[in-house]
Amino acid sequence: MTRTLAVVSAGLSVPSSTRLLADRLTDATVTALAERGVEVRPEVVELREHARDLADHLVTGFPNAALRPVLDTVAGADALIAVTPIFSASYSGLFKTFVDVLDREALTGTPVLLGATAGSARHQLALDHALRPLFAYLHATVVPTGVFAAAEDWGASGASRELGDRITRAAGELADLVAGRSPTGRATDPFADPTPFEALLRGEA
């Protein structure tokens, strides 16, 4: 069975170094899974495209028609790659908003690879001080290697060798987790097939 790999990028510009890192991590993970005999379908979510949808969810308490499939994609994935820019020593507000509207158990046990980008390498500790605790709270299974990319890690020919090595190592760790698990079922909408009110009154729920 083909596995699903959700890729969440919280970059704010087009193009962005955050999306560039997300793409590199995705390509490396697809390759690593293929080496393990696992076919995977990446599904990329650009949070920038859903900023207003996320704001609506915060004030209404419900996802609109555009956001619902995004939340289902992440909740129903066999693995997740999550990449955010770092601002003020932490993940971006857009990224945190997305996490805030996820169901509390959406990522329980889900293998997760964390990535972050910033202009300077001094922000790399945010991976362990901010991102990792956030996903531990969500009960996700985070791979040991997080990938941080500063501006100097990107050159005219692409990623530096050190960054490339980190990407390969992290992708391999994620692939090992995915390959060792049974495929998950897709997330379902609890309101898609509601119990009729009359049946509820009869105690047939």
Side-chain angles (χ1 to χ4, degrees):
M1 177 183 290
T2 300
R3 311 295 180 90
T4 302
L5 173 64
V7 182
V8 173
S9 170
L12 299 180
S13 60
V14 179
S16 69
S17 59
T18 301
R19 177 59 188 271
L20 179 60
L21 178 59
D23 287 345
R24 288 293 303 268
L25 290 169
T26 301
D27 291 344
T29 301
V30 170
T31 298
L33 283 167
E35 293 171 350
R36 291 158 176 77
V38 178
E39 184 178 352
V40 65
R41 181 181 67 256
E43 296 190 13
V44 179
V45 175
E46 275 281 9
L47 295 186
R48 178 180 180 275
E49 299 173 357
H50 298 281
R52 290 196 175 111
D53 301 323
L54 290 167
D56 286 345
H57 193 330
L58 285 180
V59 298
T60 65
F62 296 95
N64 59 27
L67 186 61
R68 177 79 266 172
V70 172
L71 299 179
D72 288 346
T73 291
V74 173
D78 294 283
L80 169 67
I81 293 174
V83 188
T84 177
I86 299 300
F87 300 124
S88 302
S90 188
Y91 35 73
S92 71
L94 180 62
F95 185 83
K96 181 57 164 60
T97 300
F98 179 73
V99 172
D100 284 344
V101 303
L102 282 174
D103 183 84
R104 183 171 296 181
E105 298 181 357
L107 296 180
T108 298
T110 300
V112 176
L113 193 169
L114 297 175
T117 60
S120 168
R122 64 191 176 91
H123 295 291
Q124 63 184 315
L125 291 178
L127 269 173
D128 292 324
H129 291 175
L131 277 166
R132 201 171 288 275
L134 175 64
F135 281 83
Y137 171 78
L138 296 172
H139 303 293
T141 303
V142 181
V143 302
T145 302
V147 181
F148 177 86
E152 58 263 31
D153 288 318
W154 304 105
S157 59
S160 66
R161 175 175 295 182
E162 182 180 355
L163 175 57
D165 290 343
R166 293 202 303 270
I167 289 172
T168 300
R169 183 169 66 251
E173 292 169 355
L174 185 63
D176 284 339
L177 286 177
V178 174
R181 291 161 50 98
S182 299
T184 64
R186 301 295 295 166
T188 58
D189 185 347
F191 303 106
D193 187 21
T195 302
F197 184 67
E198 294 80 5
L200 289 173
L201 291 176
R202 294 194 301 268
E204 298 177 2

